[in-house]
Amino acid sequence: MKQVVYAVIAALTLAACGPAGAAVTRREVLLATTTSFQDSGLLDVLAADFQNRTPYRLRATAVGTGAALAIGARGDADVLFVHAPQEELSYMRDGNGDRRAVVMHNDFVLLGPPSDPAHVRGKNVFDALRAIADSRIPFISRGDKSGTDIFEKNLWKQTAIVPAGSWYVEAATGMGQTLTVASEKRAYTLSDRGTFLARRGQIELAIIVERDPPLINVYHVITVSARKFPKVNAAGADAFADYLVSPETQRLIASFGVDKYGEELFFPDAGKNDADVR
């Protein structure tokens, strides 16, 4: 049985409730996080290790980053693990978070049919997107306001193209299901590397563009503001944030997936600023 209980958002709200003004002493830590963190398998590994190393038990709901930030902005989670820096900064400016720290990065990859019908292999990501738009070969967007969706839309914005038409499909679903749809439709899509590697045996997609600097994907931990939301489990949230940036966890992140995939899926970055992540 997995160590993480994936709860519905309503369950997060109920679990967070307690007597008004009472100190929060529960051992359950409510995490709102991204589906890519779950789909890669890293969430399960870290949740089990966190439970073994601390008195706390992690209870997570995996949604898009936009939805995770919304949960935090209602005080319905204790801690967030997300990857949309501009939206995170807005969240912090609104006073919804106490701590925000870089934890790790991975990268996005542009995937497509192995035959590469738009002939974009070898191009940088911006030229590749322009070629896909010109060719009208299908592109599957997550379309769910997740961190990946926000990242993809920003890439299109930098190409000065507004993707529209029957060739551009918004799936409105998580990363794993988006890969399945792209495979079935012989389409292009953007994915984090970890989820692709975890799912590649089940889909017919290949990496078309990778290792391009604009594709770096940075993850942050944010503790929800206990000053603004008194029912937040601040001690548990701090414990999870401290756990993520600890040297032991950073080594665990670095080694995750190497034995199975022959390469690092995530790169530890504790102590760095966003500008230092490469």
Side-chain angles (χ1 to χ4, degrees):
M1 177 179 291
K2 291 183 178 180
Q3 298 295 325
V4 179
V5 178
Y6 298 108
V8 296
I9 294 173
L12 286 175
T13 305
L14 291 172
C17 293
V24 178
T25 58
R26 54 184 160 83
R27 294 304 179 189
E28 189 171 65
V29 179
L30 306 178
L31 168 69
T33 188
T34 71
T35 58
S36 58
F37 187 32
Q38 173 189 336
D39 289 344
S40 68
L42 180 58
L43 174 56
D44 289 332
V45 171
L46 296 188
D49 188 56
F50 176 66
Q51 183 169 323
N52 288 336
R53 288 170 48 191
T54 73
Y56 296 99
R57 176 173 178 266
L58 197 66
R59 187 178 187 186
T61 186
V63 291
T65 285
L69 290 168
I71 291 171
R74 295 194 300 269
D76 290 341
D78 303 317
V79 63
L80 312 177
F81 192 68
V82 288
H83 63 127
Q86 292 306 311
E87 286 71 19
E88 295 165 29
L89 291 174
S90 177
Y91 177 92
M92 298 298 289
R93 283 194 296 269
D94 290 340
N96 295 317
D98 284 338
R99 294 172 59 189
R100 176 176 178 265
V102 174
V103 175
M104 65 185 192
H105 77 274
N106 65 354
D107 63 340
F108 287 107
V109 290
L110 183 66
L111 305 173
S115 61
D116 186 22
H119 307 293
V120 300
R121 189 177 273 110
K123 297 179 183 293
N124 66 51
V125 67
F126 300 120
D127 288 342
L129 290 175
R130 293 185 185 101
I132 292 168
D134 288 343
S135 71
R136 295 301 191 263
I137 301 295
F139 185 99
I140 309 300
S141 170
R142 281 185 57 171
D144 63 350
K145 302 188 187 305
S146 63
T148 300
D149 185 53
I150 293 167
F151 193 97
E152 177 226 309
K153 298 296 195 294
N154 285 335
L155 291 177
W156 283 111
K157 185 176 181 180
Q158 291 177 75
T159 68
I161 292 172
V162 178
S166 60
W167 64 276
Y168 185 78
V169 179
E170 294 197 299
T173 190
M175 193 70 257
Q177 185 60 31
T178 298
L179 293 179
T180 299
V181 173
S183 178
E184 291 172 348
K185 292 185 175 295
R186 298 186 56 77
Y188 291 90
T189 193
L190 189 77
S191 172
D192 65 284
R193 185 183 296 272
T195 303
F196 167 68
L197 291 176
R199 297 293 185 99
R200 65 181 172 183
Q202 307 163 35
I203 55 178
E204 293 186 21
L205 294 171
I207 294 177
I208 306 298
V209 177
E210 64 176 334
R211 310 297 185 190
D212 197 6
L215 295 177
I216 289 177
N217 177 36
V218 184
Y219 288 82
H220 299 84
V221 61
I222 299 175
T223 61
V224 177
S225 174
R227 294 186 296 272
K228 189 171 184 178
F229 306 106
K231 294 175 184 177
V232 162
N233 183 354
D238 280 331
F240 186 62
D242 291 341
Y243 163 80
L244 288 175
V245 300
S246 70
E248 296 85 357
T249 305
Q250 292 282 288
R251 286 192 291 269
L252 184 57
I253 288 169
S255 65
F256 175 76
V258 174
D259 57 342
K260 186 173 183 179
Y261 303 113
E263 61 180 285
E264 285 185 69
L265 272 62
F266 299 96
F267 299 84
D269 292 308
K272 294 182 181 179
N273 296 317
D274 285 34
D276 297 327
V277 177
R278 295 288 186 271

mmCIF file of all heavy atoms in Angstrom, residues 233-270:
data_model
loop_
_atom_site.group_PDB
_atom_site.id
_atom_site.type_symbol
_atom_site.label_atom_id
_atom_site.label_comp_id
_atom_site.label_asym_id
_atom_site.label_seq_id
_atom_site.Cartn_x
_atom_site.Cartn_y
_atom_site.Cartn_z
ATOM 1 N N ASN A 233 -1.215 23.605 10.346
ATOM 2 C CA ASN A 233 -0.248 22.877 11.158
ATOM 3 C C ASN A 233 1.145 23.406 10.820
ATOM 4 O O ASN A 233 1.877 22.827 10.004
ATOM 5 C CB ASN A 233 -0.349 21.373 10.868
ATOM 6 C CG ASN A 233 0.590 20.543 11.733
ATOM 7 O OD1 ASN A 233 1.403 21.073 12.478
ATOM 8 N ND2 ASN A 233 0.469 19.227 11.623
ATOM 9 N N ALA A 234 1.501 24.529 11.443
ATOM 10 C CA ALA A 234 2.757 25.199 11.115
ATOM 11 C C ALA A 234 3.966 24.344 11.455
ATOM 12 O O ALA A 234 4.947 24.303 10.702
ATOM 13 C CB ALA A 234 2.838 26.540 11.838
ATOM 14 N N ALA A 235 3.928 23.647 12.584
ATOM 15 C CA ALA A 235 5.067 22.810 12.979
ATOM 16 C C ALA A 235 5.273 21.686 11.985
ATOM 17 O O ALA A 235 6.405 21.370 11.587
ATOM 18 C CB ALA A 235 4.839 22.250 14.381
ATOM 19 N N GLY A 236 4.169 21.059 11.551
ATOM 20 C CA GLY A 236 4.273 19.985 10.572
ATOM 21 C C GLY A 236 4.748 20.491 9.223
ATOM 22 O O GLY A 236 5.554 19.837 8.542
ATOM 23 N N ALA A 237 4.251 21.667 8.807
ATOM 24 C CA ALA A 237 4.672 22.252 7.540
ATOM 25 C C ALA A 237 6.163 22.573 7.556
ATOM 26 O O ALA A 237 6.890 22.290 6.602
ATOM 27 C CB ALA A 237 3.855 23.510 7.247
ATOM 28 N N ASP A 238 6.623 23.169 8.671
ATOM 29 C CA ASP A 238 8.053 23.463 8.787
ATOM 30 C C ASP A 238 8.883 22.189 8.786
ATOM 31 O O ASP A 238 9.981 22.151 8.216
ATOM 32 C CB ASP A 238 8.323 24.256 10.063
ATOM 33 C CG ASP A 238 8.015 25.734 9.917
ATOM 34 O OD1 ASP A 238 8.118 26.259 8.782
ATOM 35 O OD2 ASP A 238 7.661 26.378 10.924
ATOM 36 N N ALA A 239 8.361 21.153 9.427
ATOM 37 C CA ALA A 239 9.087 19.876 9.459
ATOM 38 C C ALA A 239 9.253 19.319 8.047
ATOM 39 O O ALA A 239 10.325 18.810 7.694
ATOM 40 C CB ALA A 239 8.355 18.873 10.348
ATOM 41 N N PHE A 240 8.212 19.419 7.225
ATOM 42 C CA PHE A 240 8.312 18.907 5.855
ATOM 43 C C PHE A 240 9.237 19.772 5.016
ATOM 44 O O PHE A 240 10.052 19.259 4.236
ATOM 45 C CB PHE A 240 6.928 18.830 5.214
ATOM 46 C CG PHE A 240 6.942 18.176 3.858
ATOM 47 C CD1 PHE A 240 7.340 16.849 3.708
ATOM 48 C CD2 PHE A 240 6.570 18.882 2.723
ATOM 49 C CE1 PHE A 240 7.370 16.246 2.455
ATOM 50 C CE2 PHE A 240 6.585 18.287 1.469
ATOM 51 C CZ PHE A 240 6.982 16.959 1.339
ATOM 52 N N ALA A 241 9.158 21.108 5.173
ATOM 53 C CA ALA A 241 10.058 21.988 4.436
ATOM 54 C C ALA A 241 11.515 21.720 4.826
ATOM 55 O O ALA A 241 12.399 21.634 3.965
ATOM 56 C CB ALA A 241 9.691 23.445 4.695
ATOM 57 N N ASP A 242 11.762 21.577 6.139
ATOM 58 C CA ASP A 242 13.118 21.278 6.602
ATOM 59 C C ASP A 242 13.589 19.931 6.070
ATOM 60 O O ASP A 242 14.761 19.761 5.711
ATOM 61 C CB ASP A 242 13.166 21.277 8.128
ATOM 62 C CG ASP A 242 12.984 22.656 8.743
ATOM 63 O OD1 ASP A 242 13.171 23.660 8.021
ATOM 64 O OD2 ASP A 242 12.636 22.735 9.940
ATOM 65 N N TYR A 243 12.667 18.978 6.031
ATOM 66 C CA TYR A 243 12.993 17.646 5.519
ATOM 67 C C TYR A 243 13.435 17.725 4.053
ATOM 68 O O TYR A 243 14.446 17.121 3.663
ATOM 69 C CB TYR A 243 11.781 16.727 5.653
ATOM 70 C CG TYR A 243 11.866 15.482 4.821
ATOM 71 C CD1 TYR A 243 12.613 14.380 5.240
ATOM 72 C CD2 TYR A 243 11.219 15.404 3.593
ATOM 73 C CE1 TYR A 243 12.726 13.243 4.452
ATOM 74 C CE2 TYR A 243 11.311 14.274 2.804
ATOM 75 C CZ TYR A 243 12.065 13.196 3.229
ATOM 76 O OH TYR A 243 12.171 12.085 2.443
ATOM 77 N N LEU A 244 12.706 18.475 3.233
ATOM 78 C CA LEU A 244 13.007 18.529 1.804
ATOM 79 C C LEU A 244 14.377 19.122 1.512
ATOM 80 O O LEU A 244 15.050 18.699 0.557
ATOM 81 C CB LEU A 244 11.937 19.332 1.070
ATOM 82 C CG LEU A 244 10.568 18.672 0.911
ATOM 83 C CD1 LEU A 244 9.590 19.647 0.261
ATOM 84 C CD2 LEU A 244 10.653 17.393 0.088
ATOM 85 N N VAL A 245 14.811 20.091 2.310
ATOM 86 C CA VAL A 245 16.089 20.752 2.032
ATOM 87 C C VAL A 245 17.245 20.153 2.833
ATOM 88 O O VAL A 245 18.386 20.624 2.720
ATOM 89 C CB VAL A 245 16.001 22.271 2.298
ATOM 90 C CG1 VAL A 245 14.940 22.899 1.407
ATOM 91 C CG2 VAL A 245 15.720 22.574 3.762
ATOM 92 N N SER A 246 16.982 19.117 3.604
ATOM 93 C CA SER A 246 18.047 18.490 4.388
ATOM 94 C C SER A 246 19.012 17.749 3.469
ATOM 95 O O SER A 246 18.637 17.287 2.386
ATOM 96 C CB SER A 246 17.453 17.509 5.394
ATOM 97 O OG SER A 246 16.912 16.369 4.735
ATOM 98 N N PRO A 247 20.281 17.615 3.858
ATOM 99 C CA PRO A 247 21.257 16.911 3.016
ATOM 100 C C PRO A 247 20.844 15.482 2.692
ATOM 101 O O PRO A 247 21.056 15.008 1.562
ATOM 102 C CB PRO A 247 22.535 16.940 3.869
ATOM 103 C CG PRO A 247 22.381 18.143 4.742
ATOM 104 C CD PRO A 247 20.911 18.216 5.057
ATOM 105 N N GLU A 248 20.232 14.778 3.651
ATOM 106 C CA GLU A 248 19.828 13.385 3.412
ATOM 107 C C GLU A 248 18.765 13.310 2.311
ATOM 108 O O GLU A 248 18.838 12.467 1.412
ATOM 109 C CB GLU A 248 19.296 12.759 4.702
ATOM 110 C CG GLU A 248 20.305 12.638 5.827
ATOM 111 C CD GLU A 248 20.430 13.910 6.659
ATOM 112 O OE1 GLU A 248 19.768 14.918 6.335
ATOM 113 O OE2 GLU A 248 21.212 13.889 7.639
ATOM 114 N N THR A 249 17.782 14.195 2.375
ATOM 115 C CA THR A 249 16.719 14.187 1.368
ATOM 116 C C THR A 249 17.243 14.652 0.024
ATOM 117 O O THR A 249 16.851 14.117 -1.027
ATOM 118 C CB THR A 249 15.549 15.071 1.821
ATOM 119 O OG1 THR A 249 15.104 14.633 3.100
ATOM 120 C CG2 THR A 249 14.402 14.998 0.828
ATOM 121 N N GLN A 250 18.144 15.625 0.031
ATOM 122 C CA GLN A 250 18.722 16.083 -1.227
ATOM 123 C C GLN A 250 19.493 14.958 -1.921
ATOM 124 O O GLN A 250 19.441 14.815 -3.155
ATOM 125 C CB GLN A 250 19.634 17.288 -0.976
ATOM 126 C CG GLN A 250 18.865 18.543 -0.539
ATOM 127 C CD GLN A 250 18.179 19.247 -1.680
ATOM 128 O OE1 GLN A 250 18.841 19.873 -2.510
ATOM 129 N NE2 GLN A 250 16.853 19.141 -1.757
ATOM 130 N N ARG A 251 20.155 14.102 -1.153
ATOM 131 C CA ARG A 251 20.833 12.944 -1.754
ATOM 132 C C ARG A 251 19.817 11.942 -2.286
ATOM 133 O O ARG A 251 20.026 11.330 -3.345
ATOM 134 C CB ARG A 251 21.757 12.286 -0.719
ATOM 135 C CG ARG A 251 23.022 13.084 -0.432
ATOM 136 C CD ARG A 251 24.036 12.276 0.360
ATOM 137 N NE ARG A 251 23.585 12.018 1.721
ATOM 138 C CZ ARG A 251 23.859 12.813 2.751
ATOM 139 N NH1 ARG A 251 24.561 13.927 2.565
ATOM 140 N NH2 ARG A 251 23.436 12.509 3.967
ATOM 141 N N LEU A 252 18.713 11.770 -1.569
ATOM 142 C CA LEU A 252 17.667 10.858 -2.015
ATOM 143 C C LEU A 252 17.045 11.346 -3.320
ATOM 144 O O LEU A 252 16.789 10.552 -4.245
ATOM 145 C CB LEU A 252 16.603 10.727 -0.926
ATOM 146 C CG LEU A 252 15.463 9.730 -1.151
ATOM 147 C CD1 LEU A 252 16.002 8.325 -1.380
ATOM 148 C CD2 LEU A 252 14.512 9.743 0.041
ATOM 149 N N ILE A 253 16.818 12.649 -3.429
ATOM 150 C CA ILE A 253 16.289 13.229 -4.658
ATOM 151 C C ILE A 253 17.253 12.986 -5.818
ATOM 152 O O ILE A 253 16.840 12.614 -6.921
ATOM 153 C CB ILE A 253 16.034 14.737 -4.457
ATOM 154 C CG1 ILE A 253 14.817 14.955 -3.536
ATOM 155 C CG2 ILE A 253 15.823 15.451 -5.792
ATOM 156 C CD1 ILE A 253 14.645 16.393 -3.080
ATOM 157 N N ALA A 254 18.541 13.196 -5.567
ATOM 158 C CA ALA A 254 19.531 13.028 -6.631
ATOM 159 C C ALA A 254 19.606 11.599 -7.136
ATOM 160 O O ALA A 254 19.858 11.358 -8.328
ATOM 161 C CB ALA A 254 20.900 13.487 -6.137
ATOM 162 N N SER A 255 19.384 10.644 -6.256
ATOM 163 C CA SER A 255 19.517 9.232 -6.650
ATOM 164 C C SER A 255 18.228 8.639 -7.185
ATOM 165 O O SER A 255 18.254 7.549 -7.778
ATOM 166 C CB SER A 255 19.985 8.401 -5.447
ATOM 167 O OG SER A 255 19.002 8.396 -4.416
ATOM 168 N N PHE A 256 17.119 9.344 -7.024
ATOM 169 C CA PHE A 256 15.833 8.776 -7.417
ATOM 170 C C PHE A 256 15.789 8.470 -8.916
ATOM 171 O O PHE A 256 16.054 9.338 -9.747
ATOM 172 C CB PHE A 256 14.690 9.729 -7.067
ATOM 173 C CG PHE A 256 13.345 9.253 -7.559
ATOM 174 C CD1 PHE A 256 12.688 8.227 -6.905
ATOM 175 C CD2 PHE A 256 12.765 9.802 -8.690
ATOM 176 C CE1 PHE A 256 11.465 7.763 -7.358
ATOM 177 C CE2 PHE A 256 11.539 9.350 -9.153
ATOM 178 C CZ PHE A 256 10.893 8.321 -8.487
ATOM 179 N N GLY A 257 15.453 7.243 -9.240
ATOM 180 C CA GLY A 257 15.258 6.834 -10.628
ATOM 181 C C GLY A 257 16.508 6.459 -11.379
ATOM 182 O O GLY A 257 16.421 5.916 -12.491
ATOM 183 N N VAL A 258 17.698 6.711 -10.805
ATOM 184 C CA VAL A 258 18.933 6.447 -11.543
ATOM 185 C C VAL A 258 19.091 4.959 -11.837
ATOM 186 O O VAL A 258 19.487 4.570 -12.937
ATOM 187 C CB VAL A 258 20.152 6.994 -10.767
ATOM 188 C CG1 VAL A 258 21.456 6.583 -11.455
ATOM 189 C CG2 VAL A 258 20.074 8.511 -10.652
ATOM 190 N N ASP A 259 18.778 4.112 -10.854
ATOM 191 C CA ASP A 259 18.929 2.677 -11.067
ATOM 192 C C ASP A 259 17.964 2.159 -12.129
ATOM 193 O O ASP A 259 18.289 1.229 -12.874
ATOM 194 C CB ASP A 259 18.713 1.918 -9.746
ATOM 195 C CG ASP A 259 17.350 2.205 -9.118
ATOM 196 O OD1 ASP A 259 16.720 3.213 -9.487
ATOM 197 O OD2 ASP A 259 16.931 1.418 -8.247
ATOM 198 N N LYS A 260 16.814 2.766 -12.249
ATOM 199 C CA LYS A 260 15.791 2.303 -13.200
ATOM 200 C C LYS A 260 15.960 2.910 -14.584
ATOM 201 O O LYS A 260 15.765 2.234 -15.602
ATOM 202 C CB LYS A 260 14.401 2.632 -12.660
ATOM 203 C CG LYS A 260 13.262 2.083 -13.495
ATOM 204 C CD LYS A 260 11.918 2.312 -12.814
ATOM 205 C CE LYS A 260 10.775 1.697 -13.613
ATOM 206 N NZ LYS A 260 9.469 1.911 -12.941
ATOM 207 N N TYR A 261 16.319 4.193 -14.634
ATOM 208 C CA TYR A 261 16.350 4.894 -15.918
ATOM 209 C C TYR A 261 17.754 5.227 -16.409
ATOM 210 O O TYR A 261 17.926 5.689 -17.522
ATOM 211 C CB TYR A 261 15.537 6.195 -15.813
ATOM 212 C CG TYR A 261 14.110 5.951 -15.393
ATOM 213 C CD1 TYR A 261 13.640 6.393 -14.158
ATOM 214 C CD2 TYR A 261 13.222 5.274 -16.218
ATOM 215 C CE1 TYR A 261 12.328 6.179 -13.768
ATOM 216 C CE2 TYR A 261 11.908 5.048 -15.835
ATOM 217 C CZ TYR A 261 11.474 5.495 -14.607
ATOM 218 O OH TYR A 261 10.175 5.273 -14.218
ATOM 219 N N GLY A 262 18.752 5.029 -15.544
ATOM 220 C CA GLY A 262 20.120 5.292 -15.961
ATOM 221 C C GLY A 262 20.493 6.752 -16.003
ATOM 222 O O GLY A 262 21.532 7.122 -16.552
ATOM 223 N N GLU A 263 19.671 7.607 -15.417
ATOM 224 C CA GLU A 263 19.954 9.042 -15.392
ATOM 225 C C GLU A 263 19.190 9.682 -14.250
ATOM 226 O O GLU A 263 18.205 9.132 -13.756
ATOM 227 C CB GLU A 263 19.553 9.707 -16.707
ATOM 228 C CG GLU A 263 18.078 9.596 -17.037
ATOM 229 C CD GLU A 263 17.731 10.263 -18.362
ATOM 230 O OE1 GLU A 263 17.683 11.511 -18.388
ATOM 231 O OE2 GLU A 263 17.518 9.540 -19.351
ATOM 232 N N GLU A 264 19.670 10.862 -13.829
ATOM 233 C CA GLU A 264 18.963 11.600 -12.790
ATOM 234 C C GLU A 264 17.676 12.174 -13.347
ATOM 235 O O GLU A 264 17.653 12.727 -14.442
ATOM 236 C CB GLU A 264 19.833 12.746 -12.262
ATOM 237 C CG GLU A 264 20.962 12.308 -11.356
ATOM 238 C CD GLU A 264 21.705 13.500 -10.775
ATOM 239 O OE1 GLU A 264 21.112 14.215 -9.936
ATOM 240 O OE2 GLU A 264 22.856 13.714 -11.167
ATOM 241 N N LEU A 265 16.595 12.025 -12.579
ATOM 242 C CA LEU A 265 15.331 12.635 -12.961
ATOM 243 C C LEU A 265 15.189 14.022 -12.350
ATOM 244 O O LEU A 265 14.547 14.896 -12.925
ATOM 245 C CB LEU A 265 14.158 11.766 -12.513
ATOM 246 C CG LEU A 265 13.701 10.672 -13.485
ATOM 247 C CD1 LEU A 265 14.802 9.658 -13.751
ATOM 248 C CD2 LEU A 265 12.459 9.975 -12.955
ATOM 249 N N PHE A 266 15.765 14.200 -11.162
ATOM 250 C CA PHE A 266 15.660 15.465 -10.443
ATOM 251 C C PHE A 266 17.039 15.840 -9.910
ATOM 252 O O PHE A 266 17.838 14.973 -9.551
ATOM 253 C CB PHE A 266 14.668 15.352 -9.281
ATOM 254 C CG PHE A 266 13.274 15.003 -9.708
ATOM 255 C CD1 PHE A 266 12.837 13.687 -9.693
ATOM 256 C CD2 PHE A 266 12.396 15.988 -10.138
ATOM 257 C CE1 PHE A 266 11.550 13.355 -10.091
ATOM 258 C CE2 PHE A 266 11.106 15.673 -10.531
ATOM 259 C CZ PHE A 266 10.679 14.349 -10.515
ATOM 260 N N PHE A 267 17.279 17.158 -9.824
ATOM 261 C CA PHE A 267 18.576 17.671 -9.395
ATOM 262 C C PHE A 267 18.390 18.522 -8.145
ATOM 263 O O PHE A 267 17.641 19.506 -8.171
ATOM 264 C CB PHE A 267 19.213 18.490 -10.521
ATOM 265 C CG PHE A 267 19.470 17.693 -11.766
ATOM 266 C CD1 PHE A 267 18.456 17.501 -12.693
ATOM 267 C CD2 PHE A 267 20.702 17.111 -11.988
ATOM 268 C CE1 PHE A 267 18.676 16.749 -13.841
ATOM 269 C CE2 PHE A 267 20.939 16.363 -13.126
ATOM 270 C CZ PHE A 267 19.926 16.175 -14.058
ATOM 271 N N PRO A 268 19.022 18.174 -7.037
ATOM 272 C CA PRO A 268 18.826 18.895 -5.774
ATOM 273 C C PRO A 268 19.412 20.298 -5.834
ATOM 274 O O PRO A 268 20.496 20.510 -6.370
ATOM 275 C CB PRO A 268 19.554 18.022 -4.752
ATOM 276 C CG PRO A 268 20.564 17.262 -5.550
ATOM 277 C CD PRO A 268 19.956 17.040 -6.895
ATOM 278 N N ASP A 269 18.687 21.255 -5.244
ATOM 279 C CA ASP A 269 19.098 22.659 -5.325
ATOM 280 C C ASP A 269 18.937 23.408 -4.014
ATOM 281 O O ASP A 269 18.885 24.645 -4.007
ATOM 282 C CB ASP A 269 18.262 23.381 -6.390
ATOM 283 C CG ASP A 269 18.557 22.909 -7.795
ATOM 284 O OD1 ASP A 269 19.735 22.896 -8.174
ATOM 285 O OD2 ASP A 269 17.601 22.543 -8.509
ATOM 286 N N ALA A 270 18.818 22.710 -2.905
ATOM 287 C CA ALA A 270 18.609 23.384 -1.622
ATOM 288 C C ALA A 270 19.698 24.428 -1.376
ATOM 289 O O ALA A 270 20.880 24.185 -1.617
ATOM 290 C CB ALA A 270 18.587 22.372 -0.480
#
